[in-house]
Amino acid sequence: MTISQDDIKKIAHLARINISSEESILLEEKLTGIMKLIDQMQKVDTDGVEPMSHALDISQPLRADQVTESDIRTKTMALAPETEESLFIVPQVIE
Amino acid sequence: MLNLSLKQLSQQLREKAFSSEELTRFFLDRIRKYNDSLNAFITIDEDTSIAMAKQADLKIASGNQGTFTGIPIAQKDIFCADGWKTTCGSKMLENFVAPYNATVVQNFNDAGAINLGKTNMDEFAMGSSNETSYFGAVKNPWNLEYVPGGSSGGSASAVAARLAPAATGTDTGGSIRQPASLCGFTGLKPTYGLVSRYGMIAFASSLDQAGPMAPSAEDCAMMLNVMASHDIKDSTSLPHPKEDYLASLDNSIKGLRIGMPKEFFGEGLDSEVQKIIEGAINEYKKMGAEIVEISLPNSELAIPVYYVIAPAEASSNLSRYDGVRYGYRTKEYDDLMDMYFKTRQEGFGDEVKRRILIGTYVLSAGYYDAYYLKAQKIRQLISNDFSQAFQKCDVIMGPSAPSAAFKSGEKKEDPLAMYLQDIYTISTNLAGLPAMSIPAGFTKGLPVGLQLIGNHFSEGHLLNIAHQFQLISDWHRKTPKEID
């Protein structure tokens, strides 16, 4: 599988990353190289093999819905680039 | 203080041979002296470290200290530590001050350890040479022209140069074992789920696992006693009964069956490294172990499978860095979309962007079955290979990395060559198995590590096997010349 300039444009959009045209040209070769490596998988017969999503076969545990942590809202809000009255500020999205 | 083991440090602190404050200042002085050359630490905070040491000294004076009370430990900058800058090696988190403790950090705090500082790393743990860090490359103390390995390169450089008695690391595809091999000390990646991932910045969640990095297996056992814990804050943390990893170190290894996978000794392995590894395995034979030839037929597929699964999970995990709630935000933007696009363009480095793009590609509409699902199926085959091998042997041995350390810059622009660094380590992450790297010799003045791979939850046995080798060898006690 080779990665084209169009592919890069499409995936960069999905990933929400600006890619300059110079970057895009360098990426074409590098991403194609990585996809060629990945394509080695295609020669393997995996019919009937169960996909493995996890190292150990465990089920998700449940716990009681109880407050266990102290309130660190002020601390976490202070990490935001822009806030106002405990709200995160982003550019206007609704006219 | 320089070359004492963790056990000796604990004992001498208790006997008041020196105070924790003296010990902590000793290592802080070394960091101040050598960090300009090595770049092993991103953040040190002397006031906080010393305050912690003074608290520890009070505890020791009152006689209710634990095994780690007063011992300084360096933390990889991937672990959130309350009040400490936690960057994950990225511009994206350059000014991020963690608002809480990772469970690993909390466990060390509870055991009385001193946080000595936050170590440098490849950006978001993506790299095998510690050259992708936004905070600059880390140097190998055995030769400053060489890389320390990665992604836990700062921890590796710090431990090897004795800027810290021990450090934490994380291993997604080899990031503890490969740098331990390249810098000449002991590193352990535990069974997936043994150590909590809570507060450990996520890269590839089904593979990430934290572990100890220290001179000896005994040091690592002592650290794992603190690090391993069942944690309800991490849904993949396993309710494994608490073990004492020091208890089994002295067990006899007579009759141990060592599996040598033929795939680990083929093309791509440096011949000097091969000689050293075979020599080390021969030492085990002299100690009464028996060698069994085994095969891991799908191991050559580990790298392709990893470069689907890890980037796929990373592209999802790293979508949180959007410039809204924390981290970097671009300075000028027209609207919300523009803000996302520029923030992520400017905040991430090249390797991280490549992996996000690959991950996005393999997960995008129409490709899921061909890549992600296919990779998960082969992951199962790789895991099956290990299950079969462990019917014939108790431990698998081979090289940790295909060569000793390489020169800085040598592979930086060639991701494919860099990815091959992890050819012997990645398959164990895919299978969730515990594995170690222990020092086994030197080639051209650079250390070489022997890898030990065990079955799930065999950490105690692995540490025992490693410790027995370290009783008859002193490779793990070698230290580099002090840097001028």
Side-chain angles (χ1 to χ4, degrees), chain B residues 131-346:
Chain B
E131 293 171 294
T132 73
S133 170
Y134 175 66
F135 302 93
V138 177
K139 306 295 177 192
N140 189 320
W142 291 96
N143 186 329
L144 298 181
E145 288 178 16
Y146 286 72
V147 303
S151 69
S152 311
S155 286
S157 180
V159 170
R162 299 293 190 273
L163 305 190
T168 56
T170 60
D171 189 315
T172 304
S175 287
I176 287 175
R177 290 160 286 159
Q178 183 255 11
S181 178
L182 270 49
C183 288
F185 60 88
T186 308
L188 166 67
K189 180 204 94 74
T191 303
Y192 181 87
L194 188 71
V195 176
S196 169
R197 294 183 298 109
Y198 179 75
M200 185 176 113
I201 295 171
F203 160 17
S205 301
S206 81
L207 305 166
D208 297 342
Q209 182 60 201
M213 301 173 82
S216 73
E218 181 196 80
D219 296 330
C220 286
M222 207 168 130
M223 289 175 80
L224 193 60
N225 276 351
V226 171
M227 294 177 80
S229 65
H230 179 229
D231 185 6
I232 52 164
K233 291 173 185 167
D234 171 3
S235 65
T236 58
S237 167
L238 299 167
H240 185 69
K242 199 92 182 139
E243 282 185 55
D244 178 5
Y245 297 102
L246 287 165
S248 49
L249 291 180
D250 293 320
N251 291 354
S252 163
I253 56 164
K254 253 200 188 82
L256 178 78
R257 295 171 305 161
I258 298 173
M260 276 177 81
K262 57 176 191 234
E263 293 81 4
F264 281 24
F265 293 88
E267 201 190 330
L269 179 63
D270 178 276
S271 60
E272 286 294 313
V273 171
Q274 177 161 358
K275 252 185 246 162
I276 291 168
I277 298 306
E278 285 169 351
I281 294 173
N282 202 40
E283 291 298 319
Y284 275 106
K285 220 169 151 182
K286 287 188 211 156
M287 286 189 276
E290 145 194 3
I291 313 298
V292 190
E293 197 180 299
I294 57 161
S295 176
L296 300 168
N298 292 292
S299 53
E300 63 162 358
L301 293 159
I303 289 187
V305 166
Y306 179 86
Y307 281 96
V308 173
I309 291 175
E313 293 181 9
S315 71
S316 166
N317 274 326
L318 273 60
S319 63
R320 74 190 68 185
Y321 303 104
D322 56 6
V324 175
R325 290 148 302 154
Y326 49 81
Y328 177 78
R329 179 189 283 196
T330 185
K331 297 293 161 272
E332 284 174 37
Y333 42 87
D334 302 328
D335 55 23
L336 185 65
M337 274 298 188
D338 194 39
M339 187 189 90
Y340 290 153
F341 277 85
K342 284 184 182 154
T343 292
R344 290 164 65 79
Q345 177 184 30
E346 296 160 16

Side-chain angles (χ1 to χ4, degrees), chain B residues 6 9-14 19-20 23 52-61 64-72 108-114 222 226:
Chain B
L6 293 180
L9 286 174
S10 178
Q11 199 173 351
Q12 299 207 15
L13 281 164
R14 193 166 53 236
S19 68
S20 172
L23 180 66
M52 289 175 92
K54 284 180 172 164
Q55 283 295 320
D57 283 329
L58 289 176
K59 254 198 176 145
I60 294 166
N64 58 14
Q65 71 273 38
T67 47
F68 266 89
T69 306
I71 300 179
F108 273 112
N109 285 356
D110 291 347
I114 313 305
M222 207 168 130
V226 171

